[in-house]
Every structure is written in C-alpha cells, then in structure tokens.
Amino acid sequence: MKIPPPIKSMVAMFALLWVYLQTSVLKAQAVIAIETQNNALVLEVEKDKDLGIIYFGKKLARVDEYQLVPKVFKQPEDYTGLLNSAYTPSGSRNLMEPALSVTHADGNNSLDLRYVDHKQSNVADGVSLLSITLKDPVYDFEVMLFYKSYFKQDVVEQWSVIKHREKGEVILQKYASANLHLKAGSYWLNQYHGDWAKEMQPEEAKLTHGIKTLDSKLGTRANLFQPSVFMISLDKPATEDEGSVLYGALQYSGNFKIDLEVDLQDNLRIIGGINNYASSYSLKPGEEFITPAFLYTFSDKGKGDASRKLQSWARNYKLLDGNGNRLTLLNNWEATYFDFNENKLAELLKDTKKLGVDMFLLDDGWFANKYPRNDDRAGLGDWQENKQKLPNGIASLVKEAEANGVKFGIWIEPEMVNPKSELYEKHPDWVVKQAKRDEYYFRNQLVLDLANPKVQNFVYGVVDDLFTKNPDLAYIKWDCNAVIYNAHSAYLKNQSHFYIEYMRGLNNVLKKIRAKYPKVPMMLCSGGGGRVDYGALQYFTEYWPSDNTDPLERIFIQWEYSYFYPAIASSNHVTDWGKQPIKFRTDVAMMGKLGFDIVVSKLPENDLKFCQEAIKTYNDFKDVIWHGDQYRLSNPRENSVASILYVDEEKTSGVMFNYLVNNRYGESTKNPIKLKGLDPARKYKLREVNLYPGTSSWIDSNRVYSGEFLMKVGFNPEVTSGRTSVVVHIEEVK
C-alpha cells in the first residue's frame, strides 16, 4: 500500500518521538527536566537513588548541560547529601527543615525517600504532568510528587500524594506540597501583611541564614494578616522590568506555612504547604493524603513579566470562567445597610436600570424571623426571608428586577452563625467551639463545623434552596467574616484533624455547588481580601479585595493584588468612601470588574450623567482590561502619579489609567510616562475618555504617535491637582 506524503511525515514524526522517548527512558535514571517555554526545573537521580534539584532558572538549549551545573559551584560540603532534596524527609540524614516528617506505625520517627520511577504525559495542549514515585527502603511508605507544567505561561503547579501500607496508622507531622532549591548570590523576599481595610501591604528584605516563615493559623480567612503569596528576587531586588524573580503561592484557603531557609551552602530552600500547626494527621493503611497545589513562575525580565504570565495562566486554567464575561452591578449595602424593605428595594431596582449596570445585588439583612437580621448580632444561620422586610420573598424581587431589565443577585454567609439564632439553638453541636471555654466571637459570630457532613449538606442547601426557588437568580456574593477561635469539632474524634477536615468540607461543598451550578457568577468575599487564593478562585468568578473602598487606598491595594491575580477577578466598587470626586472613584473601580455601592437617587445631576456615560465607555473597552496584558507604568509608592496600562493581545487597543496620589503643592506628571506592550512599528492615537460633564480634554486626540515613540519617549497625560484622574484610550491607526 502506498502511504500518502502527509501520512508519511506523521509516521516519521511519531518514529522520532518514539526514539526520543526511549532515549529519555535510558536517561531517566540521571536527569528529569521539567521545561516550559523559558524556564527549567531539573531533577537528578543520584547513585543511591536520592532525588535532588540540580537546576532552577532559565532553560538551557542543551539538555545534557544541566548535569554540569553542580560541578561549577564550589560550595561548602553537604554532610547530609540532602540539602538539594526534591522532597526532604526528616529524621534520617537530614539536618535542615523537612518537607515531610512522620511517625511510623512502630513509633520510629525516621524517614528516607528514594527514587523508584517517573511518568510524564500531556494532559492538554501545552500542559504536561510529571509524576515521580519515591519510597522508603525500609518501611512500606510512598510519596508521589506531581509537577503540572504550563508551557506558554511558565507556570508549574506542584503537589504530593502520601500513602503507606504499614501495620497501623502513620502520623504525618508535616506534609508540604513542594520543596524548591535555588542558587544565587543573595535572596530578597517581597512579602505582604495587613488587616481589615489594610490588605496587601508589601515589605521587602534580604533573607539571611536560618528560616523565615510565612504562615497563618486563622482556620478561615487565612489571608487576613498574611497572604500565602510572595516573591523571591535573586541577587538583587527585581524591578518592574528587570531582574530575576520567582512568584510563589499556595492554592489553599486554610492554614498555610511557607518556610524560606538559607542553608549552610548559601542556597535557598523553599518549602510550602498546609500549616502543620495543631494538625498532626493519622494516616490509615491504604489511605491517600493529597496536599494542595503550590504554584510558582519565574522570570528574568522583572516583576511585570512574571505577573503577566501568572495572570494569563489564571484566566486560561484556574479562575472560573477566566476568559468569559462579568456583570456590572449596583449593591444596596451602603445605601441601606440593614434598614430596607420591599419598597426601598423596588426603588433601588429602578435606580439600577437608570444607572445602566447589569444587575442589582441585595446584601446582608434579608433573612431570619425569630431573631431578625437587623444588625450583625443576630439571625446569621437562619436563611428564611424576613417576612417583615420581604413579605413576598426573594422571588418577587427577582421578578421585579426582570421587569426593570436587570438581573438579581444576593449575599450569603453560609459558613457562619450568630449565637442569637435558631440554628444555634437547634444545633449547638454544629458550631466550632470548645465546651470548657468561654465562647469568643469575631464580629459577633462563630464558625460552623464543616468537618461534619450534616453541616456540609446544610451549607450546600442554603445555596441550592435559593436557586431551586429562584431559578433566575444571577449572582451570589459569598461572605466569610469570622476566624476560628477555640478550635474544636463535636463531630471529629481526632481533633488534630480539624483544620484539615474543615477545609476538605468547604471544598466538598463548593465542588457540589459547581457540579449543579457550573456557570453562576459568585464573588469570593471575606470582610475584604481575607480569603483570596487559587484554591478558592477555581470555584469563584471574582473576589473582593478589601472593604476599604477609598479610591486612593484602593489604587495601592489593587496594585499589589495585580501581581498575582488578573483584573477580571477583582471586584471594584464605587462608594462614598474617601473625599475624591465621583470621576476619580469611578476611574479607579474600572481597573477590574466595575460595581457601584452608592445612593443613585442622591447623586447630583452631573454626577449621575457622568456615571451613566462612564458605564457605556467601560462596556466599550472592558474586554481589554479583563483579558489584555497589564503593564504597571508608574508606581504610586515611588511617584506622585500612579499609572497602569492594559493592552489587548493584538496590540491594537489599550486603556491607560493615571491618578494623582500626592496632593502636595505643584505635584503633576512633569515628565512623560513611557508606555509598554505596544508594537513599535505601528501608529496610535490617544483619546481621553471618562470626561466629567462640562469639561474638555487637554489631550490632542488627532495627533498620531508611533509605538516606538510612546515606549521610548512616552506620553504625558497631564495629571494635575485639577485633573487628578485621567483615563486614556489608545487605538491603532490603520
């Protein structure tokens, strides 16, 4: 039979692939390279079957040269042979911080992990999965390391699966997701801290010998004081466009722990995973313990390049509907707080249509009857419509919204309970508390025990009942306002499992909700950015960065979040916080998913007119903000003007936001701001948008610039004390 030419070429290609795979198998005992478009993480199997990391950084053209890397470093002796371990065991030869620490069924605390085999497969276009099996040569104990690599985005997700077949339970004392090993002259940690209304405050410092730990023990809202995202710059602090930098994050909403250890060889060991605080885990024979994924990306082109890689990865692979649409909205919270009824809400629904947004969101206060939800001290947990406020129920509001040509969304906080509630009275055993301790409240409430399957069913039922009774319900704002005090589960026999089982319960609920309602938009809210991570965002379309909606503060908060999360995920609302004019507030909120939380009926005529026109403008270019590449042009912590640019993938359109962040006399954009991400050979026009009624632009919208000029010389948006916020739309001239 004669084989057609296209088929011949395919046969040849597969033959070459087979030869390559066979060669790889032969070399497998020596080197395992995880390569993405630009980077490589290279593992080596030593003669004694120890698995070590010999390279992390920019990809080399010749794979065989990775083995030369250890030979060019003349460092102090490694007495243990485990300093560069890919997954460091404890209690045997290791003298440093372990990734895994166990007590075997016979009481032995030592662990040794040796390479057995590995497998690699393609799970999607540009996505590969490597699994490596490690076993203890003495005990029937096994760890599988998984590396999921995303070629185009240079992102790797890493996690471990731990299991054994010993004669009895094994106690896991520590169980990290990932263990990295980096070589550089010095290491600079950029970490974050915060509190309510003060989220994502950055701090950068040089790492010294010993261990620096980033962690949380809050149980819920784990990011409240310290989020699980960080940056490590190599040799010197990276800037926006220069320097080598690693971004790391744990995809987990519960207690986390990131250990950063500069060792005796001056190398950096990074060990990240679930916090083992009060959480030793009894693992039964045959049972698998699966850790959450730890993600990382690396760039030698600075923080901006690393963040664009991570944002692209999030939109394409992790964030729910990351490449889809979002709803603009009007929220009633700051208009009414708990004080509303059907008539007030009917007027707000009309305002929603008048304003021009897609949806009305009913916030806290719509439920509970025996203990009405008229403030935050009662009613939480009793999810029946309040008959006094809403005699005709939620269904009538959904219909009223439809009659006004808008959608309807609703607020819930199903994981929590007020002591003053029917739920607490009927099911005190469902509440996280210790019988021998006084109850201690966070925002007048306690946490429900999601380790209990009955509580999981209850929380799922809160959401399911709303959709069952109101099929046209369009949106859920899911809040979480309490941390865990007096951690104890009446359901669990082993209390050291509590923090882990709580998070497993929450994930069970979210998986079940998404199985039945895969497309409904949901906001991840937590009294601000207290629960923002990719473990949760795979179930949510967006998150609430902070309860602090003062636009000046939000510029700083949103700036820092943007290093790790894409703009489409950031819910930004126009409110009455701050003293800035409505234009400034609206412009800041546009850098993400736009919403309003104002009393529309009290807006001055020109303010209302501005908002209406701004929403139309936003709808014209929101896709560029949501799905384009983000470039930080002028850092508000370093300059009097903050400037951020979004450019579409084709480099034909962009939106540039500029804000005055320093009110001292004479501050302005004295110098041009250099743009990024454009095509130097193309021509562009720049037009100011979002002008307040009665004002005119200082910018000549007819002037044509080359992309080269805009990026090498720059453009002056002419921000002054009289023009504190300037939004510029950039369009290619054909």
Side-chain angles (χ1 to χ4, degrees):
M1 182 178 71
K2 188 175 181 181
I3 302 176
I7 303 299
K8 278 185 178 179
S9 62
M10 289 178 63
V11 171
M13 180 185 72
F14 281 115
L16 288 171
L17 180 61
W18 184 85
V19 171
Y20 172 77
L21 289 173
Q22 295 307 303
T23 305
S24 297
V25 170
L26 291 173
K27 292 181 178 180
Q29 296 300 308
V31 171
I32 307 168
I34 303 161
E35 293 187 323
T36 57
Q37 184 167 256
N38 298 292
N39 304 329
L41 171 66
V42 184
L43 311 172
E44 184 175 49
V45 182
E46 305 288 349
K47 288 182 294 184
D48 56 4
K49 301 297 183 180
D50 284 333
L51 181 67
I53 298 172
I54 60 170
Y55 184 79
F56 181 90
K58 296 296 295 179
K59 182 167 66 175
L60 301 182
R62 289 180 52 181
V63 176
D64 61 307
E65 289 193 322
Y66 288 126
Q67 288 179 294
L68 301 178
V69 173
K71 296 178 175 61
V72 299
F73 283 87
K74 305 302 179 182
Q75 297 180 315
E77 182 182 352
D78 177 3
Y79 307 103
T80 68
L82 291 172
L83 287 180
N84 69 332
S85 175
Y87 198 72
T88 311
S90 70
S92 53
R93 292 170 288 141
N94 176 49
L95 299 174
M96 308 302 282
E97 184 65 25
L100 180 62
S101 179
V102 306
T103 300
H104 294 283
D106 65 0
N108 191 309
N109 287 323
S110 69
L111 181 65
D112 197 1
L113 294 174
R114 305 297 177 101
Y115 170 87
V116 177
D117 60 27
H118 74 275
K119 297 177 183 177
Q120 191 155 9
S121 61
N122 291 325
V123 296
D125 185 25
V127 184
S128 299
L129 182 64
L130 168 70
S131 63
I132 303 175
T133 302
L134 306 175
K135 283 187 176 179
D136 190 304
V138 176
Y139 290 89
D140 195 353
F141 187 96
E142 176 182 303
V143 176
M144 290 190 71
L145 303 180
F146 289 88
Y147 301 82
K148 192 173 186 180
S149 57
Y150 299 81
F151 185 82
K152 185 178 179 182
Q153 290 79 15
D154 290 323
V155 169
V156 177
E157 291 180 286
Q158 185 178 341
W159 67 96
S160 58
V161 176
I162 305 163
K163 57 185 176 182
H164 73 95
R165 296 198 176 278
E166 299 183 23
K167 296 178 180 179
E169 292 186 347
V170 169
I171 309 299
L172 305 183
Q173 309 289 3
K174 187 177 182 181
Y175 28 82
S177 299
N179 188 160
L180 295 177
H181 184 263
L182 281 65
K183 290 178 178 290
S186 57
Y187 312 93
W188 296 81
L189 169 66
N190 190 346
Q191 67 180 93
Y192 295 89
H193 68 94
D195 197 351
W196 179 83
K198 294 186 291 186
E199 290 81 0
M200 293 299 284
Q201 305 296 313
E203 288 181 323
E204 188 167 39
K206 184 178 179 180
L207 288 172
T208 57
H209 289 82
I211 298 178
K212 167 75 174 184
T213 298
L214 311 177
D215 77 336
S216 173
K217 305 178 183 72
L218 306 182
T220 67
R221 299 190 64 189
N223 293 348
L224 178 63
F225 301 144
Q226 186 169 75
S228 60
V229 295
F230 64 94
M231 305 177 197
I232 297 291
S233 296
L234 305 183
D235 297 320
K236 62 181 180 180
T239 64
E240 192 68 26
D241 301 306
E242 294 180 344
S244 296
V245 61
L246 175 142
Y247 283 22
L250 186 67
Q251 299 180 52
Y252 191 64
S253 300
N255 294 343
F256 64 85
K257 185 178 184 183
I258 314 292
D259 290 318
L260 305 151
E261 181 175 30
V262 179
D263 66 20
L264 62 103
Q265 291 185 324
D266 302 326
N267 300 321
L268 177 63
R269 307 171 70 252
I270 303 175
I271 298 174
I274 297 173
N275 197 336
N276 55 333
Y277 161 75
S279 296
S280 57
Y281 194 89
S282 305
L283 191 68
K284 299 175 182 176
E287 180 186 0
E288 289 188 342
F289 187 95
I290 304 173
T291 69
F294 181 84
L295 72 88
Y296 44 94
T297 189
F298 174 81
S299 173
D300 66 342
K301 298 180 179 66
K303 297 177 182 179
D305 182 60
S307 71
R308 285 186 289 278
K309 290 176 180 179
L310 198 53
Q311 290 172 2
S312 174
W313 169 82
R315 290 193 300 266
N316 285 287
Y317 297 106
K318 186 59 63 170
L319 176 67
L320 185 66
D321 197 23
N323 288 312
N325 197 12
R326 296 292 187 271
L327 297 169
T328 54
L329 60 83
L330 174 66
N331 194 359
N332 74 300
W333 180 244
E334 293 198 15
T336 67
Y337 294 99
F338 293 99
D339 183 19
F340 58 82
N341 54 36
E342 282 186 358
N343 292 333
K344 278 188 179 181
L345 296 180
E347 291 303 312
L348 290 174
L349 282 165
K350 293 176 184 176
D351 288 341
T352 307
K353 179 66 173 177
K354 182 196 299 183
L355 188 60
V357 293
D358 303 317
M359 183 184 69
F360 175 76
L361 172 62
L362 176 59
D363 214 293
D364 195 358
W366 58 268
F367 51 91
N369 289 290
K370 181 178 180 180
Y371 303 106
R373 183 69 169 174
N374 294 324
D375 52 46
D376 67 2
R377 293 187 293 272
L380 194 60
D382 301 343
W383 297 102
Q384 316 88 21
E385 295 101 328
N386 181 277
K387 294 176 182 177
Q388 185 174 355
K389 294 180 182 179
L390 306 176
N392 296 302
I394 297 297
S396 66
L397 295 173
V398 176
K399 290 178 181 177
E400 184 71 18
E402 186 179 355
N404 279 277
V406 297
K407 298 180 183 295
F408 187 86
I410 200 164
W411 177 96
I412 56 172
E413 192 177 3
E415 300 164 65
M416 308 293 168
V417 63
N418 285 130
K420 192 175 181 180
S421 67
E422 291 185 85
L423 179 66
Y424 184 93
E425 292 175 344
K426 294 176 181 176
H427 298 287
D429 58 317
W430 284 11
V431 179
V432 176
K433 59 176 184 173
Q434 293 176 342
K436 297 181 180 180
R437 306 289 181 190
D438 292 338
E439 291 181 1
Y440 195 72
Y441 307 127
F442 196 104
R443 200 187 168 187
N444 303 304
Q445 61 194 57
L446 294 166
V447 179
L448 292 177
D449 179 13
L450 278 168
N452 186 335
K454 291 181 179 179
V455 176
Q456 294 174 33
N457 290 336
F458 170 80
V459 173
Y460 170 79
V462 173
V463 179
D464 190 44
D465 288 350
L466 280 169
F467 283 118
T468 301
K469 295 174 182 176
N470 310 285
D472 293 325
L473 190 65
Y475 186 91
I476 293 287
K477 178 182 177 181
W478 184 307
D479 215 338
C480 168
N481 285 309
V483 300
I484 292 177
Y485 292 125
N486 291 330
H488 179 86
S489 167
Y491 172 78
L492 291 176
K493 293 181 180 178
N494 189 338
Q495 295 303 312
S496 69
H497 288 197
F498 169 71
Y499 285 116
I500 292 170
E501 293 300 339
Y502 177 88
M503 284 310 307
R504 286 177 175 174
L506 174 61
N507 287 330
N508 288 342
V509 171
L510 294 172
K511 286 176 186 176
K512 192 174 178 181
I513 289 170
R514 281 309 178 193
K516 188 170 182 180
Y517 306 103
K519 299 291 186 182
V520 176
M522 291 203 307
M523 180 204 291
L524 180 64
C525 185
S526 191
R531 185 193 279 175
V532 186
D533 65 88
Y534 283 115
L537 280 174
Q538 61 188 315
Y539 304 110
F540 291 82
T541 51
E542 57 220 59
Y543 70 94
W544 183 237
S546 177
D547 280 350
N548 187 342
T549 53
D550 180 313
L552 184 60
E553 293 292 333
R554 269 302 188 104
I555 289 170
F556 291 83
I557 292 171
Q558 290 168 201
W559 180 282
E560 299 301 334
Y561 271 119
S562 74
Y563 284 113
F564 301 94
Y565 304 102
I568 191 172
S570 181
S571 291
N572 308 330
H573 290 185
V574 181
T575 74
D576 290 328
W577 278 50
K579 299 178 181 179
Q580 295 81 7
I582 192 73
K583 171 177 164 50
F584 193 101
R585 287 179 272 154
T586 304
D587 290 350
V588 172
M590 279 188 171
M591 295 189 301
K593 203 222 73 169
L594 177 64
F596 289 80
D597 200 336
I598 55 177
V599 184
V600 176
S601 61
K602 293 184 179 179
L603 286 176
E605 182 180 351
N606 277 344
D607 281 11
L608 175 59
K609 185 177 179 182
F610 167 79
C611 291
Q612 291 169 331
E613 291 302 314
I615 291 166
K616 293 175 184 177
T617 302
Y618 177 76
N619 287 334
D620 288 340
F621 58 58
K622 62 188 179 185
D623 281 347
V624 177
I625 298 169
W626 292 350
H627 306 124
D629 291 325
Q630 182 194 54
Y631 296 88
R632 299 169 203 86
L633 308 180
S634 180
N635 191 327
R637 285 189 165 82
E638 300 170 359
N639 304 285
S640 295
V641 172
S643 184
I644 294 178
L645 171 66
Y646 300 87
V647 180
D648 68 358
E649 188 176 356
E650 294 77 21
K651 301 181 184 297
T652 61
S653 181
V655 188
M656 180 184 183
F657 293 90
N658 309 275
Y659 311 99
L660 186 67
V661 295
N662 184 344
N663 291 322
R664 295 193 67 184
Y665 179 77
E667 289 300 325
S668 64
T669 45
K670 299 179 178 69
N671 300 317
I673 295 173
K674 293 179 182 179
L675 278 62
K676 303 173 187 176
L678 303 178
D679 186 332
R682 296 185 192 181
K683 296 179 179 179
Y684 298 92
K685 281 187 176 181
L686 285 72
R687 175 174 58 92
E688 185 174 356
V689 296
N690 276 17
L691 291 166
Y692 191 79
T695 63
S696 57
S697 177
W698 295 4
I699 296 170
D700 184 356
S701 60
N702 294 315
R703 183 168 295 164
V704 177
Y705 301 87
S706 68
E708 180 187 35
F709 181 91
L710 291 171
M711 292 191 291
K712 289 185 177 179
V713 178
F715 171 78
N716 197 321
E718 302 194 46
V719 177
T720 68
S721 59
R723 285 165 50 84
T724 56
S725 176
V726 178
V727 182
V728 179
H729 191 204
I730 303 162
E731 293 179 283
E732 182 190 6
V733 178
K734 299 287 187 178

